Amino acid sequence: MNKISILPTPVHLEVLSDRKVLTSKITRTQNLDGVLKAAEQARFRKDFALEQFRKEGYALRTTQDGINIYAESDAGFYYAKNILPKLKSVPEGRLQEVLIVDYPAFPIRGVIEGFYGMPWTWQERTDVIEAASQVGFNAFIFAPPDINRKVNWREPLPYSYKEKLEELIKNAHRHHVKFVYEVLPIGIDLASKQDYKKLLERCKEVITLGADAIMVAFDDTNDYEGQRVKKEKAALGQARLANNLLQQLGSDDVLLAFVPVEYHGTKVTPYLVTIGKELDPEVYIGWSGPKIRSASITKEDAERYAEIVRRKPFLGHNFPVVDEMRKKRRLTIGPLMGLDSRLADAVSGISFNCMEVPYASLVSLFTAGDFAWNPNWYIPRRSIINSARVHGTNLMKLVELNPESYANPSGVPDIARALRHHRLKDLHSDTVSKLRRIFNTMVSLDDLMSEGIDSRIYHEIRPWLVQGNIVGALGNLILDGKGSTISWKTKGYVASKMITGPRLGGTVFEDWILREMGFPANLFYYVPGSWAISYFLETMNRKRHQRQRSI
């Protein structure tokens, strides 16, 4: 047994023997002596001195007589118990004698429901929180695109909504997950005492329900106050608003976070300088990295932003979310890439924004949890293989067909590069053979996934699987030299399906097929009204789902 079998990857894991543990009796010891020998305690002395070990860490030893766990906190004991079923899932199918000393790197490890699209149902939120806690996430940031959070923030929450929200918060706490409620006060007048009073009432309302933190967000508002004023003045007003909230909420147990208008980048601006100077040091500041969707984020990037805002930023990474219209029909099914393993020293916490499809998001989210817990041992391919073992091993077929991602631009395989620049007649025979295998896989995806993965994920991604069947079958026709036999009527129908439908392989395979059928490259951008068509189809699809789902 080794680290490959465990998700998230423990900081220290040693196999003591191959003997099978005879009992599953768990004992929580009062001191380290119940788990570690004197020499072992000396070896891990530096680990035990870390704040993160005291808050969420644990030491665990399995023996013939049972399982001994030392944890200074209930959260640490919870994570220790979580790892036991994973130890039993090793290839040998048994629980061996092991020693684990483990703790997370990032103090806050969050999941965000913050995409643009159809909000999750309450049951989906509950399922995501429970699943995410199994890989070490300890915060859920509630930021759905619903009217109660964005538009009706001046009004009390509806009674039925409050009931469901309170139950969701209680469920989060059962899994040692902190609940963060984000309010985006669209149209607020920073000079209005009445608006401030209404915002404060909303914050107190959700705190009464059990929320652990409030996040006041001004991101994606397109201006700096809801009114046209100088940026510095808007920054001053927003900072004072957040400071007043922090003072009025009056509890050391409630955290306050602030997302500025300029929530990405590393450039010094008058707005950010004012925010950093005026905002109370106790208030967290949200940041998405150098860009809104950052392909890579380094420790130096975070330090530059921290210097501007005078504190470590709270990183809200837009992964695996897909928001833009062109990318809306694409899935992010793959491992987290591009984050510096040293980021834990430069940020106050890390969180990951999910896709509109909650269960499919978990595939990538599990790799993000692996990184957030132990970035020094994070290996992307190993992590996504482990995630696929949890959600369905056949998912690796889909992972390999999604070589493109804004978070992994350098990971596009040679076959995709070749398709971008060459027509069929110019492709090497080896490339054609590889392409044939890809198209055959696309054709068989629906059958592979119907029984080989979590049924909830299957139902979410089935539109992409059906599209894969179409793309794969058409691709094989072209490789067989029969592309010229396809009528223009059929070509037009297929092109419309590719333009407005799910993009299974990113865009590489579809764009290549369209070119081989005689259409211009990047047809999506050139067809008059294609944006309007896509928007119309997406709106109709959303309304259809809205009738089926209880929000």
Side-chain angles (χ1 to χ4, degrees):
M1 182 180 64
N2 51 45
K3 289 178 181 293
I4 293 177
S5 304
I6 308 296
L7 192 70
T9 307
V11 177
H12 302 289
L13 184 152
E14 298 177 10
V15 177
L16 303 177
S17 81
D18 289 331
R19 290 182 300 178
K20 184 178 179 181
V21 175
L22 300 178
T23 175
S24 58
K25 177 185 176 182
I26 298 175
T27 302
R28 183 175 181 180
T29 65
Q30 298 301 311
N31 52 59
L32 285 167
D33 294 337
V35 178
L36 301 174
K37 300 174 183 177
E40 293 167 336
Q41 292 184 38
R43 181 153 56 99
F44 296 119
R45 184 179 294 112
K46 291 183 179 179
D47 298 277
F48 300 144
L50 295 174
E51 182 180 9
Q52 279 309 109
F53 180 85
R54 295 195 299 271
K55 287 186 174 181
E56 297 180 288
Y58 63 91
L60 179 150
R61 182 189 291 270
T62 59
T63 69
Q64 290 289 294
D65 300 323
I67 302 160
N68 296 328
I69 298 172
Y70 170 77
E72 295 186 27
S73 68
D74 290 339
F77 187 60
Y78 174 80
Y79 293 129
K81 290 191 297 181
N82 277 351
I83 206 169
L84 291 174
K86 303 167 190 176
L87 291 170
K88 293 179 181 178
S89 66
V90 299
E92 294 84 357
R94 60 180 184 171
L95 184 60
Q96 294 172 296
E97 291 189 355
V98 299
L99 172 65
I100 299 175
V101 175
D102 201 14
Y103 51 89
F106 292 83
I108 303 174
R109 306 169 300 282
V111 174
I112 312 173
E113 182 192 352
F115 51 83
Y116 289 105
M118 174 64 64
W120 293 343
T121 66
W122 295 102
Q123 184 59 51
E124 287 168 346
R125 290 165 182 149
T126 298
D127 292 343
V128 168
I129 288 172
E130 292 179 2
S133 72
Q134 299 300 307
V135 288
F137 283 103
N138 66 353
F140 180 75
I141 301 174
F142 183 79
D146 72 40
I147 194 170
N148 291 304
R149 190 182 64 84
K150 287 186 172 184
V151 179
N152 294 343
W153 55 270
R154 294 181 179 88
E155 303 172 13
L157 290 170
Y159 180 76
S160 60
Y161 189 96
K162 285 177 64 174
E163 278 190 322
K164 293 175 181 177
L165 183 60
E166 184 176 22
E167 181 55 37
L168 185 67
I169 294 172
K170 288 179 179 178
N171 181 71
H173 290 166
R174 282 193 288 270
H175 295 277
H176 293 273
V177 173
K178 300 291 186 183
F179 194 90
V180 183
Y181 182 90
E182 184 191 89
V183 58
L184 200 159
I186 292 177
I188 190 172
D189 182 352
L190 296 177
S192 169
K193 292 183 180 180
Q194 185 65 20
D195 270 5
Y196 171 75
K197 179 182 178 182
K198 293 296 184 182
L199 181 61
L200 179 62
E201 288 175 354
R202 168 57 63 86
C203 293
K204 287 184 175 180
E205 185 177 24
V206 294
I207 289 172
T208 301
L209 297 177
D212 303 284
I214 300 294
M215 182 175 285
V216 180
F218 288 92
D219 56 315
D220 297 334
T221 55
N222 298 322
D223 60 23
Y224 288 79
E225 190 183 2
Q227 302 173 7
R228 297 191 178 278
V229 297
K230 290 183 177 180
K231 296 178 181 180
E232 298 92 320
K233 183 179 178 182
L236 184 61
Q238 291 171 4
R240 288 175 176 172
L241 173 74
N243 291 342
N244 289 336
L245 285 174
L246 183 67
Q247 184 177 9
Q248 290 286 325
L249 294 177
S251 172
D252 294 335
D253 295 330
V254 177
L255 300 177
L256 184 67
F258 172 84
V259 184
V261 176
E262 297 175 3
Y263 63 94
H264 58 90
T266 57
K267 183 180 178 181
V268 178
T269 67
Y271 173 84
L272 286 177
V273 169
T274 303
I275 288 291
K277 179 181 178 182
E278 299 295 334
L279 195 63
D280 190 296
E282 296 297 318
V283 179
Y284 291 78
I285 291 185
W287 176 65
S288 69
K291 299 181 179 180
I292 297 176
R293 291 163 186 81
S294 302
S296 66
I297 305 174
T298 66
K299 179 182 178 183
E300 289 72 25
D301 292 330
E303 289 174 340
R304 282 192 289 270
Y305 194 81
E307 186 176 354
I308 302 169
V309 298
R310 303 188 182 191
R311 73 206 71 197
K312 292 181 180 180
F314 180 80
L315 178 59
H317 189 33
N318 278 312
F319 173 89
V321 68
V322 180
D323 271 334
E324 285 91 345
M325 205 61 177
R326 175 163 170 79
K327 296 179 180 177
K328 193 72 174 182
R329 292 166 303 284
R330 294 169 60 178
L331 283 170
T332 302
I333 301 288
L336 175 72
M337 302 282 287
L339 296 193
D340 191 337
S341 61
R342 303 170 298 157
L343 272 173
D345 299 325
V347 299
S348 58
I350 191 169
S351 57
F352 300 91
N353 198 4
C354 295
M355 295 185 287
E356 190 173 334
V357 280
Y359 301 111
S361 292
L362 289 173
V363 180
S364 298
L365 198 63
F366 270 42
T367 71
D370 191 17
F371 174 87
W373 186 272
N374 186 1
N376 291 325
W377 280 96
Y378 178 71
I379 301 173
R381 180 163 180 80
R382 181 183 71 187
S383 192
I384 191 63
I385 290 173
N386 285 337
S387 179
R389 285 174 179 164
V390 175
H391 300 104
T393 52
N394 284 343
L395 280 168
M396 283 305 297
K397 294 289 185 181
L398 192 57
V399 170
E400 291 163 3
L401 285 176
N402 277 269
E404 288 186 297
S405 168
Y406 66 83
N408 184 18
S410 62
V412 180
D414 293 338
I415 180 70
R417 293 192 185 97
L419 294 185
R420 284 199 182 98
H421 303 291
H422 300 288
R423 299 292 297 271
L424 175 60
K425 60 184 178 61
D426 302 317
L427 293 178
H428 191 275
S429 58
D430 289 343
T431 303
V432 173
S433 297
K434 292 177 182 178
L435 194 56
R436 174 82 68 180
R437 288 196 293 271
I438 289 173
F439 288 143
N440 287 338
T441 301
M442 286 183 173
V443 171
S444 63
L445 269 180
D446 196 16
D447 291 335
L448 282 172
M449 300 296 170
S450 62
E451 296 182 355
I453 65 172
D454 185 321
S455 61
R456 299 170 301 181
I457 297 177
Y458 172 72
H459 290 299
E460 285 182 342
I461 68 174
R462 191 155 191 273
W464 283 268
L465 304 180
V466 172
Q467 184 80 348
N469 187 286
I470 296 173
V471 173
L474 190 58
N476 277 332
L477 274 177
I478 291 173
L479 293 182
D480 291 336
K482 299 178 180 179
S484 59
T485 64
I486 304 173
S487 68
W488 275 103
K489 181 179 179 180
T490 302
K491 288 180 180 179
Y493 171 75
V494 171
S496 68
K497 291 284 289 184
M498 289 187 182
I499 291 170
T500 60
R503 312 292 293 235
L504 180 67
T507 60
V508 172
F509 304 118
E510 291 90 335
D511 286 344
W512 182 80
I513 288 173
L514 290 173
R515 291 199 306 274
E516 289 297 319
M517 290 196 303
F519 293 105
N522 295 319
L523 178 66
F524 182 87
Y525 289 116
Y526 299 114
V527 175
S530 58
W531 284 92
I533 293 171
S534 299
Y535 180 79
F536 172 76
L537 291 176
E538 183 179 337
T539 301
M540 294 299 294
N541 187 54
R542 184 173 299 170
K543 288 181 177 179
R544 177 172 61 84
H545 283 290
Q546 197 162 15
R547 290 193 297 269
Q548 299 172 353
R549 300 170 72 175
S550 174
I551 300 172

